[in-house]
Amino acid sequence: MRLENKKVIQLVSSEFEDLELWYPVLRLQEEGATVHIAGEKANETYIGKYGVPVTSDFAFADISPEEYDAILVPGGWSPDKLRRYPEVLEMVRYMDKHEKPIGQICHAGWVLISAGILKGRNVTSTPGIKDDMTNAGAIWHDVAVITDGHIVSSRRPPDLPQYAKEFADLLAGME
């Protein structure tokens, strides 16, 4: 239970990649972390690309990022929606400024691009947004997972075991 006292925000909007949201949530909970699901509205059910639902615990506006140790951004088509919320971008910028773990997988890089935090950072993503990532100033790598400081990024669902472990390891090592 090495993550017993850790609190994590898992962002959500409709059409998230089902595994990319649920796998890290369950992995962190297995190690004792508290994971709160944050969406546009509290107690709203969002449906993933393949039909798996998740219900938000809080609305974005109700989240105080200083109360959390880390944030996760799922992939799928959800990031294209998430990056349109000023509260989401502020949460990501807060986590970046305070060097708290930020997890991004697949298309989640779009949120970090919109938050303006990728310049000079080593990252990966789905190859489909490689140009978006590099145009934002990131140094893109075609690897399963890469950690640059407090940002952990991954490409796609087959990389989830490595991604979730790397994120959990980073979170466990944070004071």
Side-chain angles (χ1 to χ4, degrees), residues 18-84:
D18 307 59
L19 285 173
E20 293 170 357
L21 182 140
W22 278 111
Y23 191 109
V25 167
L26 296 172
R27 175 73 173 80
L28 296 174
Q29 288 174 336
E30 285 173 348
E31 293 211 40
T34 298
V35 182
H36 289 146
I37 310 294
E40 181 184 10
K41 299 175 184 174
N43 301 309
E44 181 85 6
T45 298
Y46 298 88
I47 306 298
K49 284 172 45 178
Y50 303 106
V52 178
V54 65
T55 301
S56 58
D57 300 303
F58 297 100
F60 300 138
D62 298 334
I63 295 287
S64 298
E66 61 274 4
E67 296 176 9
Y68 290 85
D69 301 296
I71 192 167
L72 289 166
V73 186
W77 303 123
S78 180
D80 189 39
K81 296 170 182 70
L82 290 169
R83 66 183 175 165
R84 300 173 197 201

Side-chain angles (χ1 to χ4, degrees), residues 131-174:
D131 291 346
D132 301 330
M133 302 289 274
T134 58
N135 288 338
I139 304 157
W140 192 86
H141 303 267
D142 188 10
V143 294
V145 65
I146 190 167
T147 299
D148 188 336
H150 58 281
I151 298 175
V152 180
S153 58
S154 193
R155 296 176 300 195
R156 55 181 78 94
D159 303 326
L160 279 164
Q162 293 162 281
Y163 169 65
K165 182 184 182 319
E166 187 79 14
F167 188 84
D169 290 347
L170 180 64
L171 182 57
M174 303 299 279

Side-chain angles (χ1 to χ4, degrees), residues 106-150:
C106 197
H107 287 84
W110 280 337
V111 175
L112 280 67
I113 289 168
S114 293
I117 66 166
L118 288 182
K119 188 171 179 68
R121 300 272 175 76
N122 290 287
V123 295
T124 192
S125 66
T126 178
I129 67 166
K130 172 187 176 184
D131 291 346
D132 301 330
M133 302 289 274
T134 58
N135 288 338
I139 304 157
W140 192 86
H141 303 267
D142 188 10
V143 294
V145 65
I146 190 167
T147 299
D148 188 336
H150 58 281

